[in-house]
Amino acid sequence: MKILLTALNAKYIHTALALYCLKSYAKEFQNHIAIAEYTINHQEDFILQQIYRQQPDVICFSCYLWNISQISRIVDNLKKILPHVMIILGGAEVSYEAEQTLQQIPADIIIRGEGEKTFYEIAKGLITNTLSLENIDGITYRKGNTIVTNPNRAPIALDDLPFVYDDIKAFQHRILYYETQRGCPYNCQYCLSSIEKGVRFLSKQRVEKDLQFFLDNHVTQVKFVDRTFNANAEHANHIWSYLIEHDNGITNFHMEITADILQQESLELLKKARKGLFQFEIGVQSTNTKTIKAIQRNTSFEKLKGIVKQIKSYGNIHQHLDLIAGLPYEDYASFRNSFNDVYALQPEQFQLGFLKLLKGSGLRKDAEKYGIVYRKDAVYEVLYTNELNCDDVFRLKQIEDMVETYYNSGKACKTIEYAISFFETPFDFYEALGDYWLENAYNEIQHSKMELYTIFYHFVCDTECTAQYKDILKEYLKLDIFMNDNVKTLPEWLEEGEQQKQKRWEYYNDATLIKQKAVHLSEQTAKQLSKRCHICFLEYDIFSENKCKKQTAILFDYGKRDAVTKKYQYYQLV
């Protein structure tokens, strides 16, 4: 008996935690179970052939919003070329409306909700030839021409689940996912977590043992999948304290938190963390109080704002803030306000998402009430609402693209900061930039990094409120370019003359100046400096309040990158 656990991850660097949880829990049948991970970027024909060549008896797919459409087509074809194979589906995308899913996808069984014990019972029954689906909780399955739904599975004690990462070599160069709790105490109506009541936690001793494994093996990044990491302050503080105390100087831990409930005790603890040790994802979703009430988010933006600012003042934690477009009672003007409110907090990442009407969520049930019209197939994304028409949604999508292209990528953060000062609000800047892209059809083709900088430069030159400052903005773009990359070739509008190249060597040879401005580089020879660093000449002093015309020399150190912003360090020489 060969059971194949399969997932289509969003990217290669991701790992399908669910598959490893299932296999680890069914450890006594390890010799019968294999894992095959693919990505949504693989050709479906490639995946089909790879699975076929393994000739499994049972295929289990981990189904989520981003892969269900492909899995549906693959299952349909697998049933044609391997008609004897049992196909089992599990995951968030099939756990709700399971009967309807079996009417649409020719699978045999759906595992609803928490799957470890359910999978174990199915695997044991198949391998020992004692399978009795009628006696297994948590499944929906075919019985002849009918579809049967068994009672829900009782929640499992988390400490009964084995740790899944026994061989770290198999996960080199990939993000590892880890959970210390299941469930969520909140009732956000756009989220499936609102369906599962109560929160269960791993014991402190178990968590410490697991975390030490990551630390000992110098894992690059661990992402907690806990829905609200700090739902229990004592649990969160214990983990933060342990990681700060046992920090290996390498591993980064990503958590999704609710910022407005953080207590001062937690903040004082986080202040001690190594720069880059923690990364927080914080869902704001909207700052419209009527919207927040409708989605039962029950958060205080004023409290959240204060906490985010306090964490930012520490300078040691990367913060990722989210907004959702398409929520009830949020029109274009209201979303503009929400955007500006969150943008003012200057998070390291600012994500504009669009409402997805997930199966089983409260907003999907109330879609007609709020006039939310959404795509029929996954990812069930909003098309328009009572408050946002289709034009609004598509315009916000272009703004989202500009935020991703220039802000979240970090490509032009300093330039944007200055350019925004000439617009009424940050939202208006990104709106104008998005309109410029559409007018020039830049959205129709891919662009290199340098082409993106060139487009931005043309935008500020062609826009009335920034055109007169284009020379200063060009200098900001130079700063951004060299802060992100050790660039060898510049676009025509930034090319240097021979005089600047000669001047650069004079600075490399000025040991006194180097020692004064960047003491850690003082032992480097001029040749060594030229290999490790770059000196850029600006025609304006962009660091002064009046941005006066004055040549400024900036040294960029490509051996030293900021752990939070990921920017290379730079030093003003003159």
Side-chain angles (χ1 to χ4, degrees):
M1 175 67 63
K2 182 174 183 179
I3 301 173
L4 186 66
L5 299 173
T6 309
L8 276 65
N9 299 325
K11 297 179 181 178
Y12 169 76
I13 59 170
H14 297 171
T15 48
L17 177 61
L19 303 188
Y20 296 95
C21 288
L22 298 182
K23 186 176 181 183
S24 298
Y25 193 78
K27 54 183 175 294
E28 65 187 271
F29 305 117
Q30 293 292 293
N31 293 337
H32 295 274
I33 302 171
I35 289 177
E37 292 184 83
Y38 306 100
T39 78
I40 56 174
N41 297 313
H42 278 119
Q43 293 290 328
E44 288 177 24
D45 191 53
F46 170 80
I47 298 171
L48 195 67
Q49 289 184 45
Q50 290 294 99
I51 293 175
Y52 177 83
R53 289 185 180 117
Q54 295 186 60
Q55 288 294 301
D57 301 293
V58 181
I59 308 170
C60 306
F61 285 94
S62 183
C63 303
Y64 292 92
L65 197 64
W66 61 83
N67 64 22
I68 188 63
S69 296
Q70 287 162 287
I71 287 175
S72 177
R73 293 189 293 270
I74 290 167
V75 168
D76 186 69
N77 288 317
L78 282 171
K79 274 297 184 182
K80 294 172 182 175
I81 61 176
L82 294 171
H84 66 284
V85 169
M86 175 183 286
I87 294 181
I88 303 173
L89 308 180
E93 182 55 27
V94 297
S95 288
Y96 308 96
E97 303 181 9
E99 292 185 9
Q100 294 94 314
T101 299
L102 284 184
Q103 291 168 1
Q104 297 163 0
I105 303 176
D108 300 290
I109 303 171
I110 286 177
I111 295 176
R112 305 190 315 272
E114 203 165 71
E116 288 89 353
K117 198 167 184 180
T118 306
F119 171 74
Y120 170 80
E121 291 178 6
I122 294 172
K124 182 178 180 180
L126 288 168
I127 292 165
T128 61
N129 202 28
T130 59
L131 181 64
S132 176
L133 294 177
E134 294 83 357
N135 299 319
I136 298 178
D137 287 345
I139 62 170
T140 297
Y141 63 97
R142 297 183 191 279
K143 187 176 182 180
N145 293 324
T146 63
I147 294 174
V148 179
T149 294
N150 289 356
N152 290 334
R153 167 76 57 183
I156 197 169
L158 294 196
D159 274 10
D160 291 343
L161 299 175
F163 185 63
V164 304
Y165 299 112
D166 53 347
D167 180 14
I168 202 67
K169 293 178 182 176
F171 302 99
Q172 292 294 322
H173 310 300
R174 300 177 73 186
I175 297 169
L176 299 190
Y177 295 88
Y178 176 62
E179 65 178 344
T180 68
Q181 56 182 277
R182 287 185 180 175
C184 182
Y186 301 108
N187 197 36
C188 305
Q189 293 299 288
Y190 54 83
C191 179
L192 293 182
S193 299
S194 60
I195 297 171
E196 185 179 344
K197 304 304 177 186
V199 187
R200 291 162 288 146
F201 299 89
L202 280 177
S203 66
K204 291 179 180 178
Q205 295 77 12
R206 169 61 188 278
V207 171
E208 288 180 3
K209 182 181 177 183
D210 294 350
L211 293 177
Q212 197 57 51
F213 176 87
F214 297 129
L215 294 166
D216 290 344
N217 285 279
H218 291 181
V219 172
T220 302
Q221 185 177 56
V222 176
K223 282 197 173 186
F224 285 75
V225 297
D226 303 346
R227 287 155 189 171
T228 305
F229 179 80
N230 62 321
N232 180 295
E234 182 185 356
H235 176 81
N237 287 345
H238 176 78
I239 292 175
W240 285 328
S241 180
Y242 186 88
L243 292 174
I244 291 169
E245 184 179 340
H246 296 83
D247 181 19
N248 61 12
I250 296 171
T251 308
N252 165 265
F253 293 90
H254 177 108
M255 297 106 171
E256 187 169 342
I257 70 165
T258 296
D260 63 313
I261 64 170
L262 276 178
Q263 300 297 316
Q264 195 59 36
E265 179 186 356
S266 300
L267 291 166
E268 291 300 321
L269 185 61
L270 293 169
K271 192 175 183 180
K272 302 173 186 175
R274 166 181 57 88
K275 194 172 188 177
L277 175 60
F278 299 134
Q279 184 172 313
F280 290 163
E281 185 170 348
I282 301 168
V284 181
Q285 320 315 3
S286 171
T287 64
N288 182 321
T289 53
K290 190 176 181 181
T291 298
I292 291 297
K293 186 176 180 180
I295 63 176
Q296 299 181 36
R297 179 74 176 156
N298 300 325
T299 57
S300 165
F301 180 68
E302 286 305 308
K303 286 184 181 178
L304 182 148
K305 181 167 66 172
I307 298 295
V308 168
K309 285 182 175 180
Q310 190 168 342
I311 292 173
K312 190 170 184 65
S313 73
Y314 301 157
N316 62 345
I317 295 173
H318 178 286
Q319 295 185 96
H320 171 141
L321 272 56
D322 298 334
L323 281 181
I324 298 177
L327 293 172
Y329 308 124
E330 182 118 87
D331 60 14
Y332 194 81
S334 170
F335 190 83
R336 177 178 181 264
N337 290 335
S338 291
F339 181 104
N340 289 326
D341 287 341
V342 175
Y343 195 89
L345 300 177
Q346 290 293 289
E348 281 69 40
Q349 288 276 302
F350 179 25
Q351 182 178 332
L352 274 64
F354 288 79
L355 178 64
K356 296 168 180 59
L357 279 293
L358 307 179
K359 290 181 180 179
S361 67
L363 280 185
R364 184 166 176 133
K365 293 172 186 174
D366 289 337
E368 189 173 342
K369 171 185 173 182
Y370 294 118
I372 301 172
V373 177
Y374 59 97
R375 298 174 191 268
K376 174 186 175 184
D377 300 317
V379 293
Y380 317 118
E381 191 172 87
V382 63
L383 290 168
Y384 59 89
T385 73
N386 280 343
E387 288 77 27
L388 277 179
N389 63 39
C390 202
D391 286 342
D392 294 335
V393 171
F394 289 154
R395 198 170 193 194
L396 289 177
K397 279 188 171 290
Q398 189 59 35
I399 292 171
E400 175 204 23
D401 191 37
M402 295 299 92
V403 172
E404 286 296 318
T405 301
Y406 288 106
Y407 183 88
N408 289 338
S409 69
K411 285 187 179 69
C413 58
K414 294 292 185 182
T415 314
I416 288 171
E417 186 179 342
Y418 183 61
I420 279 176
S421 66
F422 303 106
F423 290 80
E424 185 176 345
T425 75
F427 182 90
D428 300 314
F429 163 79
Y430 286 102
E431 184 182 60
L433 181 58
D435 290 345
Y436 185 80
W437 267 64
L438 290 176
E439 289 164 8
N440 292 277
Y442 291 134
N443 61 314
E444 297 177 9
I445 56 174
Q446 294 292 318
H447 303 280
S448 68
K449 283 182 184 179
M450 283 304 148
E451 286 171 342
L452 291 173
Y453 286 115
T454 299
I455 291 169
F456 194 99
Y457 180 59
H458 289 162
F459 164 70
V460 298
C461 290
D462 295 344
T463 302
E464 185 178 353
C465 64
T466 54
Q468 62 182 307
Y469 305 101
K470 64 181 181 180
D471 292 336
I472 298 173
L473 284 160
K474 181 164 73 170
E475 303 307 292
Y476 270 104
L477 280 169
K478 279 186 196 176
L479 181 68
D480 277 318
I481 288 172
F482 290 114
M483 217 166 39
N484 281 288
D485 294 289
N486 188 1
V487 178
K488 303 301 180 187
T489 305
L490 290 169
E492 274 184 30
W493 53 278
L494 283 180
E495 282 183 353
E496 297 179 328
E498 287 300 319
Q499 187 178 0
Q500 289 176 310
K501 294 176 183 177
Q502 180 60 38
K503 189 75 173 174
R504 183 175 293 120
W505 276 104
E506 291 177 17
Y507 282 118
Y508 284 143
N509 282 290
D510 191 339
T512 303
L513 181 63
I514 296 296
K515 186 174 183 179
Q516 179 187 350
K517 300 294 184 177
V519 67
H520 69 288
L521 296 173
S522 59
E523 300 300 318
Q524 302 269 322
T525 65
K527 188 174 182 180
Q528 289 171 329
L529 284 171
S530 70
K531 289 182 178 179
R532 171 172 170 153
C533 305
H534 176 75
I535 294 174
C536 165
F537 297 99
L538 308 180
E539 298 306 313
Y540 286 80
D541 182 4
I542 60 176
F543 304 103
S544 65
E545 190 174 342
N546 61 359
K547 316 297 179 192
C548 59
K549 190 172 178 59
K550 174 188 173 184
Q551 191 172 83
T552 308
I554 311 295
L555 182 143
F556 296 87
D557 181 3
Y558 295 113
K560 197 173 182 182
R561 193 193 289 263
D562 187 278
V564 173
T565 66
K566 306 305 179 187
K567 304 294 182 188
Y568 288 109
Q569 297 286 350
Y570 65 89
Y571 308 87
Q572 185 175 350
L573 299 181
V574 292

